[in-house]
Coordinates of all heavy atoms in Angstrom, one line a residue:
M1 N 0.8 -1.2 -0.1 CA 0.0 0.1 0.0 C 0.8 1.2 0.0 O 1.8 1.3 0.9 CB -0.9 -0.1 1.1 CG -1.8 1.3 1.3 SD -2.8 1.5 2.9 CE -3.7 -0.1 2.6
I2 N 0.6 2.2 -0.9 CA 1.2 3.5 -1.0 C 0.6 4.4 0.1 O -0.6 4.4 0.3 CB 1.1 4.1 -2.3 CG1 1.9 3.1 -3.4 CG2 1.7 5.4 -2.3 CD1 1.7 3.5 -4.7
V3 N 1.5 5.2 0.8 CA 0.9 6.2 1.7 C 1.2 7.6 1.2 O 2.4 7.9 0.9 CB 1.7 5.9 3.1 CG1 1.0 7.1 4.0 CG2 1.3 4.6 3.6
E4 N 0.2 8.4 1.0 CA 0.4 9.8 0.6 C 0.1 10.7 1.8 O -1.1 10.8 2.2 CB -0.7 10.0 -0.6 CG -0.6 11.2 -1.2 CD 0.6 11.6 -2.1 OE1 1.3 10.6 -2.4 OE2 0.9 12.8 -2.3
D5 N 1.1 11.3 2.2 CA 1.0 12.2 3.5 C 0.5 13.6 3.1 O 1.5 14.3 2.5 CB 2.1 12.1 4.4 CG 2.0 12.7 5.7 OD1 1.0 13.4 5.9 OD2 2.8 12.5 6.5
Q6 N -0.5 14.0 3.3 CA -1.0 15.4 2.9 C -1.3 16.1 4.2 O -2.1 17.2 4.1 CB -2.3 15.3 1.9 CG -2.0 14.6 0.6 CD -1.1 15.5 -0.2 OE1 -1.3 16.7 -0.2 NE2 -0.2 14.9 -0.9
R7 N -0.9 15.7 5.4 CA -1.3 16.4 6.6 C -0.5 17.8 6.8 O -1.1 18.6 7.4 CB -0.7 15.4 7.8 CG -1.7 14.3 7.9 CD -1.1 13.3 9.0 NE 0.2 12.9 8.6 CZ 1.0 12.0 9.4 NH1 0.4 11.5 10.5 NH2 2.1 11.5 9.0
N8 N 0.6 18.0 6.2 CA 1.3 19.3 6.5 C 1.3 20.1 5.1 O 2.2 20.9 5.0 CB 2.7 18.9 7.0 CG 2.8 18.2 8.3 OD1 2.0 18.6 9.2 ND2 3.5 17.2 8.5
I9 N 0.3 20.0 4.4 CA 0.3 20.9 3.2 C 0.0 22.3 3.6 O -0.6 22.5 4.6 CB -0.6 20.3 2.1 CG1 -2.0 20.3 2.7 CG2 -0.3 18.9 1.6 CD1 -3.1 20.8 1.7
T10 N 0.4 23.2 2.7 CA 0.0 24.7 2.9 C -0.7 25.0 1.7 O -0.1 25.5 0.7 CB 1.2 25.5 3.2 OG1 2.3 25.3 2.2 CG2 1.8 25.2 4.6
C11 N -2.0 24.9 1.7 CA -2.8 25.2 0.6 C -3.7 26.3 0.9 O -4.5 26.2 1.7 CB -3.6 24.0 0.2 SG -4.8 24.3 -1.2
G12 N -3.6 27.4 0.1 CA -4.5 28.5 0.5 C -5.7 28.5 -0.4 O -6.6 29.3 -0.1
G13 N -5.9 27.5 -1.2 CA -7.1 27.3 -2.1 C -8.1 26.6 -1.3 O -8.1 26.1 -0.1
D14 N -9.0 26.1 -2.2 CA -10.2 25.4 -1.9 C -9.6 23.9 -1.5 O -9.1 23.1 -2.3 CB -11.3 25.2 -2.9 CG -12.4 24.4 -2.6 OD1 -12.8 24.3 -1.4 OD2 -12.8 24.0 -3.6
P15 N -9.9 23.3 -0.2 CA -9.5 22.0 0.0 C -10.1 20.9 -0.8 O -9.6 19.9 -1.1 CB -9.8 21.9 1.5 CG -10.7 22.9 1.9 CD -10.6 24.0 0.9
F16 N -11.4 21.1 -1.1 CA -12.0 20.0 -2.0 C -11.4 19.9 -3.3 O -11.0 18.8 -3.7 CB -13.5 20.4 -2.2 CG -14.3 19.5 -3.0 CD1 -14.7 18.3 -2.4 CD2 -14.5 19.7 -4.4 CE1 -15.6 17.5 -3.1 CE2 -15.1 18.7 -5.2 CZ -15.6 17.7 -4.5
N17 N -11.1 21.1 -4.0 CA -10.4 20.9 -5.3 C -8.9 20.5 -5.2 O -8.5 19.8 -6.1 CB -10.3 22.3 -6.0 CG -11.8 22.6 -6.6 OD1 -12.5 21.5 -7.0 ND2 -12.3 23.8 -6.5
Y18 N -8.2 20.8 -4.1 CA -6.9 20.4 -3.8 C -7.0 18.9 -3.7 O -6.2 18.1 -4.3 CB -6.4 21.0 -2.5 CG -5.0 20.4 -2.2 CD1 -3.8 20.9 -2.9 CD2 -4.8 19.3 -1.4 CE1 -2.6 20.4 -2.7 CE2 -3.5 18.8 -1.2 CZ -2.5 19.4 -1.8 OH -1.1 18.8 -1.5
L19 N -7.9 18.3 -3.0 CA -7.9 16.8 -2.7 C -8.3 16.2 -4.1 O -7.8 15.1 -4.5 CB -8.9 16.5 -1.6 CG -9.0 15.1 -1.1 CD1 -7.6 14.5 -0.8 CD2 -9.9 14.9 -0.1
K20 N -9.2 16.8 -4.8 CA -9.7 16.2 -6.1 C -8.4 16.2 -7.0 O -8.3 15.1 -7.6 CB -10.8 17.1 -6.7 CG -11.3 16.6 -8.0 CD -12.5 17.6 -8.4 CE -13.0 17.2 -9.7 NZ -14.1 18.0 -10.2
S21 N -7.7 17.1 -7.1 CA -6.5 17.2 -7.9 C -5.4 16.2 -7.4 O -4.8 15.4 -8.2 CB -5.7 18.5 -7.8 OG -4.5 18.6 -8.5
T22 N -5.3 15.9 -6.1 CA -4.4 15.0 -5.6 C -4.7 13.5 -6.0 O -4.0 12.8 -6.4 CB -4.2 15.1 -4.1 OG1 -3.9 16.4 -3.7 CG2 -3.4 14.1 -3.4
L23 N -6.1 13.3 -5.9 CA -6.6 12.0 -6.1 C -6.4 11.7 -7.8 O -6.1 10.6 -8.1 CB -8.0 11.7 -5.7 CG -8.2 11.8 -4.2 CD1 -9.7 11.5 -3.9 CD2 -7.4 10.8 -3.5
K24 N -6.7 12.7 -8.5 CA -6.5 12.5 -9.9 C -5.1 12.2 -10.3 O -4.8 11.3 -11.1 CB -6.9 13.8 -10.7 CG -6.9 13.7 -12.1 CD -8.3 14.0 -12.7 CE -8.3 14.1 -14.2 NZ -9.4 13.3 -14.7
G25 N -4.1 12.8 -9.7 CA -2.7 12.6 -9.8 C -2.4 11.0 -9.4 O -1.6 10.4 -10.2
L26 N -2.9 10.7 -8.4 CA -2.6 9.3 -7.8 C -3.3 8.3 -8.9 O -2.7 7.2 -9.0 CB -3.3 9.1 -6.4 CG -2.5 9.9 -5.3 CD1 -3.2 9.7 -4.0 CD2 -1.0 9.1 -5.1
S27 N -4.4 8.7 -9.5 CA -5.0 7.7 -10.3 C -4.1 7.3 -11.5 O -4.2 6.3 -12.0 CB -6.5 8.1 -10.7 OG -6.4 9.2 -11.6
F28 N -3.4 8.3 -11.9 CA -2.5 8.0 -13.1 C -1.2 7.3 -12.6 O -0.7 6.6 -13.4 CB -2.0 9.4 -13.6 CG -3.0 10.2 -14.3 CD1 -3.4 11.4 -13.9 CD2 -3.7 9.6 -15.4 CE1 -4.4 12.1 -14.7 CE2 -4.5 10.3 -16.1 CZ -5.1 11.5 -15.8
Q29 N -0.8 7.2 -11.3 CA 0.5 6.6 -10.8 C 0.1 5.1 -10.5 O 1.0 4.2 -10.6 CB 0.9 7.3 -9.6 CG 1.4 8.7 -9.7 CD 1.8 9.4 -8.4 OE1 2.1 8.6 -7.4 NE2 1.8 10.6 -8.5
L30 N -1.1 4.8 -10.2 CA -1.5 3.4 -9.7 C -2.0 2.5 -10.7 O -2.7 2.9 -11.7 CB -2.3 3.6 -8.5 CG -1.9 4.3 -7.2 CD1 -3.0 4.4 -6.2 CD2 -0.6 3.8 -6.7
E31 N -1.8 1.3 -10.5 CA -2.4 0.4 -11.6 C -3.7 -0.2 -10.7 O -3.8 -0.2 -9.5 CB -1.4 -0.9 -11.6 CG -0.1 -0.6 -12.3 CD -0.3 -0.2 -13.7 OE1 -1.2 -0.8 -14.4 OE2 0.4 0.7 -14.2
P32 N -4.7 -0.7 -11.6 CA -5.8 -1.3 -11.0 C -5.6 -2.3 -9.9 O -4.7 -3.2 -10.0 CB -6.5 -1.9 -12.2 CG -5.9 -1.1 -13.3 CD -4.6 -0.7 -13.0
G33 N -6.3 -2.2 -8.9 CA -6.1 -3.1 -7.7 C -5.1 -2.7 -6.6 O -5.1 -3.1 -5.5
Q34 N -4.4 -1.6 -7.0 CA -3.4 -1.1 -6.0 C -4.2 -0.2 -4.9 O -5.2 0.5 -5.3 CB -2.3 -0.3 -6.6 CG -1.2 -1.1 -7.1 CD 0.0 -0.2 -7.6 OE1 -0.1 0.7 -8.5 NE2 1.1 -0.2 -6.9
D35 N -3.7 -0.3 -3.7 CA -4.3 0.6 -2.6 C -3.4 1.8 -2.3 O -2.2 1.7 -2.5 CB -4.6 -0.2 -1.4 CG -5.6 -1.3 -1.5 OD1 -6.3 -1.2 -2.5 OD2 -5.7 -2.2 -0.6
V36 N -4.1 2.9 -1.7 CA -3.4 3.9 -1.3 C -4.0 4.4 -0.1 O -5.2 4.4 0.0 CB -3.3 5.1 -2.5 CG1 -4.7 5.6 -2.8 CG2 -2.4 6.4 -1.9
K37 N -3.3 5.0 0.9 CA -3.7 5.6 2.2 C -3.3 7.1 2.0 O -2.2 7.4 2.0 CB -3.1 4.9 3.3 CG -3.7 5.6 4.6 CD -2.9 5.0 5.9 CE -3.5 3.5 6.2 NZ -3.0 3.1 7.5
V38 N -4.4 7.8 2.0 CA -4.2 9.3 2.0 C -4.4 9.9 3.4 O -5.5 9.7 4.0 CB -5.1 10.1 1.0 CG1 -4.8 11.4 1.0 CG2 -5.0 9.4 -0.3
L39 N -3.2 10.5 3.9 CA -3.4 11.0 5.4 C -3.6 12.4 5.3 O -2.9 13.2 4.6 CB -2.1 10.7 6.1 CG -1.6 9.3 6.2 CD1 -0.2 9.2 6.8 CD2 -2.5 8.4 6.9
L40 N -4.6 12.9 6.0 CA -5.1 14.3 6.0 C -5.4 14.6 7.5 O -5.5 13.9 8.4 CB -6.5 14.3 5.3 CG -6.4 13.8 3.9 CD1 -7.8 13.5 3.4 CD2 -5.7 14.8 2.9
L41 N -5.3 16.1 7.6 CA -5.8 16.5 8.9 C -7.4 16.9 8.8 O -7.8 17.7 7.8 CB -5.0 17.8 9.4 CG -3.7 17.6 9.7 CD1 -3.0 18.9 9.9 CD2 -3.4 16.6 10.8
K42 N -8.2 16.6 9.7 CA -9.7 16.9 9.8 C -9.8 18.4 9.8 O -10.7 18.8 9.1 CB -10.2 16.2 11.0 CG -11.7 16.5 11.1 CD -12.4 15.5 10.2 CE -13.9 15.6 10.4 NZ -14.6 14.8 9.4
E43 N -8.9 19.2 10.3 CA -9.0 20.7 10.4 C -9.1 21.2 8.9 O -9.8 22.2 8.7 CB -8.0 21.2 11.2 CG -7.7 22.7 11.2 CD -6.5 23.1 12.0 OE1 -6.2 22.5 13.0 OE2 -5.9 24.1 11.6
K44 N -8.1 20.7 8.2 CA -7.9 21.2 6.8 C -8.9 20.6 5.8 O -9.2 21.2 4.7 CB -6.5 21.0 6.4 CG -5.5 21.7 7.0 CD -4.0 21.6 6.5 CE -3.0 22.2 7.3 NZ -1.7 21.9 6.9
F45 N -9.4 19.3 6.2 CA -10.2 18.6 5.1 C -11.4 18.1 6.1 O -11.6 17.0 6.4 CB -9.5 17.5 4.5 CG -8.4 17.9 3.5 CD1 -7.2 18.0 4.2 CD2 -8.6 18.2 2.3 CE1 -6.0 18.4 3.4 CE2 -7.6 18.8 1.6 CZ -6.3 18.7 2.1
P46 N -12.4 19.0 6.3 CA -13.6 18.7 7.2 C -14.7 18.0 6.5 O -15.7 18.5 6.6 CB -14.0 20.1 7.8 CG -13.7 21.1 6.7 CD -12.4 20.5 5.9
F47 N -14.3 16.9 5.9 CA -15.4 16.3 5.1 C -15.9 14.9 5.7 O -15.2 14.4 6.5 CB -14.8 15.9 3.7 CG -14.2 17.1 2.8 CD1 -12.9 17.0 2.3 CD2 -15.0 18.2 2.7 CE1 -12.4 18.0 1.7 CE2 -14.4 19.3 2.0 CZ -13.1 19.1 1.5
G48 N -17.1 14.5 5.2 CA -17.7 13.4 5.8 C -17.4 12.2 4.8 O -16.8 12.4 3.7
R49 N -17.6 11.0 5.2 CA -17.4 9.8 4.3 C -18.0 10.0 2.9 O -17.4 9.5 1.9 CB -18.0 8.6 5.1 CG -17.7 7.3 4.3 CD -18.2 6.1 5.0 NE -17.9 4.9 4.3 CZ -16.7 4.1 4.6 NH1 -15.8 4.5 5.5 NH2 -16.5 3.1 3.9
D50 N -19.1 10.6 2.9 CA -20.0 10.6 1.5 C -19.1 11.4 0.5 O -19.0 11.2 -0.6 CB -21.4 11.1 1.7 CG -21.3 12.6 2.5 OD1 -20.4 12.8 3.2 OD2 -22.3 13.3 2.1
V51 N -18.4 12.6 1.1 CA -17.5 13.5 0.2 C -16.4 12.6 -0.4 O -16.0 12.7 -1.4 CB -17.1 14.7 0.9 CG1 -16.1 15.5 0.1 CG2 -18.3 15.5 1.2
Y52 N -15.8 11.9 0.6 CA -14.6 11.1 0.2 C -14.9 9.9 -0.7 O -14.2 9.8 -1.8 CB -13.9 10.4 1.5 CG -13.2 11.4 2.3 CD1 -13.6 11.5 3.6 CD2 -12.2 12.3 1.8 CE1 -13.0 12.5 4.4 CE2 -11.5 13.2 2.5 CZ -12.0 13.3 4.0 OH -11.4 14.3 4.6
E53 N -16.2 9.4 -0.6 CA -16.8 8.4 -1.6 C -16.9 9.0 -3.0 O -16.5 8.3 -3.9 CB -18.0 7.8 -1.0 CG -18.4 6.6 -1.7 CD -19.3 5.7 -0.9 OE1 -19.9 6.2 0.1 OE2 -19.2 4.4 -1.0
G54 N -17.6 10.2 -3.0 CA -17.7 10.9 -4.3 C -16.5 11.2 -5.1 O -16.2 11.0 -6.3
L55 N -15.4 11.7 -4.3 CA -14.2 12.0 -4.8 C -13.5 10.7 -5.3 O -12.8 10.9 -6.3 CB -13.3 12.7 -3.9 CG -13.6 14.2 -3.5 CD1 -12.9 14.8 -2.3 CD2 -13.3 15.0 -4.7
A56 N -13.6 9.8 -4.7 CA -13.0 8.5 -5.0 C -13.6 8.0 -6.4 O -12.8 7.6 -7.2 CB -13.1 7.4 -3.9
R57 N -14.9 8.1 -6.4 CA -15.5 7.6 -7.7 C -15.2 8.3 -8.9 O -14.8 7.8 -9.8 CB -17.0 7.6 -7.5 CG -17.8 6.3 -7.2 CD -19.2 6.4 -7.4 NE -19.9 7.7 -7.0 CZ -20.3 7.9 -5.8 NH1 -20.1 7.1 -4.8 NH2 -20.8 9.2 -5.4
T58 N -15.1 9.6 -8.8 CA -14.7 10.5 -9.8 C -13.3 10.4 -10.4 O -12.9 10.8 -11.3 CB -15.1 12.0 -9.6 OG1 -14.2 12.5 -8.6 CG2 -16.5 12.2 -9.4
S59 N -12.5 9.8 -9.3 CA -11.0 9.6 -9.7 C -10.6 8.2 -10.0 O -9.4 7.8 -9.9 CB -10.2 10.1 -8.5 OG -10.5 11.6 -8.2
R60 N -11.6 7.4 -10.2 CA -11.5 5.8 -10.5 C -10.9 5.1 -9.4 O -10.0 4.3 -9.6 CB -10.6 5.7 -11.9 CG -11.3 6.3 -12.9 CD -10.6 6.0 -14.2 NE -11.3 6.3 -15.4 CZ -10.9 7.0 -16.4 NH1 -9.6 7.2 -16.3 NH2 -11.6 7.2 -17.4
F61 N -11.4 5.4 -8.1 CA -11.0 4.6 -6.9 C -12.3 4.2 -6.3 O -13.5 4.6 -6.5 CB -10.4 5.5 -5.9 CG -8.8 6.0 -6.2 CD1 -8.6 7.2 -6.9 CD2 -7.8 5.1 -6.0 CE1 -7.2 7.5 -7.2 CE2 -6.6 5.3 -6.4 CZ -6.2 6.6 -6.9
K62 N -12.1 3.2 -5.5 CA -13.2 2.5 -4.6 C -12.7 2.9 -3.3 O -11.7 2.7 -2.7 CB -13.4 1.1 -4.7 CG -14.4 0.5 -3.8 CD -14.4 -0.9 -4.0 CE -15.5 -1.5 -2.9 NZ -15.5 -2.8 -2.9
L63 N -13.7 3.7 -2.5 CA -13.4 3.9 -1.1 C -13.5 2.6 -0.2 O -14.5 1.9 -0.2 CB -14.4 4.9 -0.5 CG -14.2 5.4 0.9 CD1 -12.9 6.1 1.2 CD2 -15.3 6.1 1.4
I64 N -12.3 2.3 0.4 CA -12.2 1.2 1.2 C -12.6 1.5 2.8 O -13.4 0.8 3.4 CB -10.9 0.4 1.2 CG1 -10.5 0.1 -0.2 CG2 -10.8 -0.7 2.1 CD1 -11.3 -0.8 -0.9
D65 N -12.0 2.6 3.3 CA -12.4 3.0 4.7 C -11.8 4.4 4.9 O -11.0 4.9 4.1 CB -11.5 1.9 5.6 CG -12.0 2.0 7.0 OD1 -13.2 2.6 7.2 OD2 -11.3 1.4 7.9
V66 N -12.5 5.0 5.8 CA -12.1 6.3 6.4 C -11.9 6.1 7.8 O -12.8 5.8 8.5 CB -13.2 7.3 6.1 CG1 -12.7 8.7 6.7 CG2 -13.4 7.5 4.6
E67 N -10.7 6.3 8.3 CA -10.4 6.2 9.7 C -10.1 7.5 10.3 O -9.2 8.3 9.7 CB -9.1 5.2 9.8 CG -9.3 4.0 9.2 CD -7.9 3.1 9.1 OE1 -6.9 3.7 9.4 OE2 -8.1 1.9 8.8
E68 N -10.7 7.8 11.4 CA -10.5 9.2 12.0 C -9.8 8.9 13.5 O -10.5 8.1 14.1 CB -11.7 10.0 12.2 CG -12.3 10.4 10.8 CD -13.4 11.5 11.0 OE1 -13.5 12.3 12.0 OE2 -14.2 11.5 10.1
N69 N -8.9 9.5 13.7 CA -8.2 9.4 15.1 C -7.4 10.7 15.5 O -6.5 11.1 14.8 CB -7.3 8.1 15.0 CG -6.5 7.8 16.3 OD1 -7.2 8.1 17.4 ND2 -5.6 7.1 16.3
D70 N -7.9 11.2 16.6 CA -7.2 12.3 17.2 C -6.9 13.5 16.1 O -5.8 14.1 16.0 CB -5.8 12.0 17.8 CG -5.4 12.9 18.8 OD1 -6.2 13.6 19.4 OD2 -4.2 12.9 19.1
G71 N -7.9 13.9 15.3 CA -7.7 15.0 14.4 C -7.2 14.6 13.1 O -7.0 15.5 12.2
E72 N -6.8 13.4 12.9 CA -6.2 12.9 11.6 C -7.2 12.0 10.9 O -7.9 11.3 11.6 CB -4.9 12.3 11.8 CG -3.8 13.2 12.4 CD -2.5 12.5 12.5 OE1 -2.3 11.3 12.2 OE2 -1.5 13.3 12.8
V73 N -7.1 12.0 9.7 CA -8.1 11.2 8.9 C -7.2 10.4 7.8 O -6.2 10.9 7.3 CB -9.0 12.1 8.0 CG1 -9.9 11.1 7.2 CG2 -9.9 12.8 8.9
A74 N -7.4 9.2 7.7 CA -6.8 8.3 6.8 C -7.8 7.7 5.9 O -8.7 7.1 6.3 CB -6.0 7.0 7.4
V75 N -7.8 8.0 4.6 CA -8.6 7.7 3.5 C -8.0 6.6 2.8 O -6.9 6.8 2.1 CB -9.1 8.9 2.6 CG1 -10.0 8.4 1.6 CG2 -9.7 10.0 3.5
I76 N -8.5 5.3 2.7 CA -8.0 4.2 2.2 C -8.9 3.9 0.9 O -10.0 3.8 0.9 CB -8.0 3.1 3.0 CG1 -7.2 3.3 4.4 CG2 -7.3 1.8 2.3 CD1 -7.3 2.2 5.5
L77 N -8.0 3.9 -0.1 CA -8.7 3.9 -1.6 C -8.1 2.7 -2.4 O -6.8 2.4 -2.2 CB -8.5 5.1 -2.4 CG -8.9 6.4 -1.8 CD1 -8.4 7.6 -2.4 CD2 -10.5 6.5 -1.6
R78 N -8.8 2.1 -3.3 CA -8.3 1.1 -4.2 C -8.6 1.7 -5.7 O -9.7 1.9 -6.1 CB -9.0 -0.3 -3.9 CG -8.4 -1.4 -4.9 CD -9.0 -2.7 -4.5 NE -8.3 -2.9 -3.2 CZ -8.9 -3.6 -2.1 NH1 -10.1 -3.9 -2.1 NH2 -8.2 -3.7 -1.0
K79 N -7.6 1.6 -6.5 CA -7.7 1.9 -7.9 C -8.5 0.9 -8.6 O -8.2 -0.3 -8.5 CB -6.3 2.0 -8.5 CG -6.3 2.2 -10.0 CD -6.6 3.7 -10.2 CE -6.8 4.1 -11.6 NZ -5.9 4.1 -12.6
T80 N -9.6 1.3 -9.3 CA -10.6 0.4 -10.0 C -10.3 0.1 -11.4 O -10.3 -1.0 -11.7 CB -12.0 1.0 -9.8 OG1 -12.0 2.3 -10.5 CG2 -12.4 1.0 -8.4
Q81 N -9.9 1.1 -12.2 CA -9.7 0.9 -13.6 C -8.3 1.3 -14.1 O -7.9 2.4 -13.8 CB -10.7 1.4 -14.5 CG -12.1 1.0 -14.2 CD -13.1 1.6 -15.0 OE1 -12.9 2.5 -15.9 NE2 -14.4 1.4 -14.8

C-alpha cells in the first residue's frame, strides 16, 4: 500500500479541489487493484465519508475505509480501472 501524506500541506485554495487534484494525480500513478492511504488533517479537510466516496468515484477509486483518530483522517482507496 502506498501512503500519501497530505497532513502538512500549505494550501491557500479550496481543500475540496486540492484533494480532487491529488486523487486525480494518484489515479495516473497506480495500477488497478493497488491501494493508497491518504493521510489528512480533519481541520484542513472537514469532510464526511460521503464526500470522500464521491471524490474516490470520480477519480477511479473505490473507497475502502475512512479512519479518524485524534484530528487525523486516513482515507484508504483502491484503484478500480
Side-chain angles (χ1 to χ4, degrees):
M1 177 184 303
I2 295 172
V3 177
E4 180 73 20
D5 191 347
Q6 296 292 317
R7 291 177 292 183
N8 295 315
I9 60 138
T10 54
C11 172
D14 176 34
F16 180 85
N17 285 323
Y18 177 85
L19 189 54
K20 184 177 177 180
S21 174
T22 298
L23 294 182
K24 185 124 178 131
L26 286 169
S27 74
F28 289 119
Q29 295 176 23
L30 300 175
E31 296 295 323
Q34 279 188 294
D35 291 349
V36 62
K37 180 188 280 190
V38 182
L39 303 176
L40 307 165
L41 292 178
K42 184 74 171 175
E43 173 185 326
K44 294 180 183 178
F45 299 92
F47 306 126
R49 184 180 183 93
D50 56 334
V51 171
Y52 292 120
E53 195 158 21
L55 284 168
R57 259 193 324 273
T58 60
S59 300
R60 296 189 174 130
F61 286 101
K62 176 183 178 185
L63 181 65
I64 303 299
D65 199 9
V66 177
E67 302 168 351
E68 292 188 34
N69 186 20
D70 202 28
E72 294 185 359
V73 179
V75 181
I76 302 169
L77 306 165
R78 180 167 294 139
K79 178 73 188 284
T80 56
Q81 296 178 4

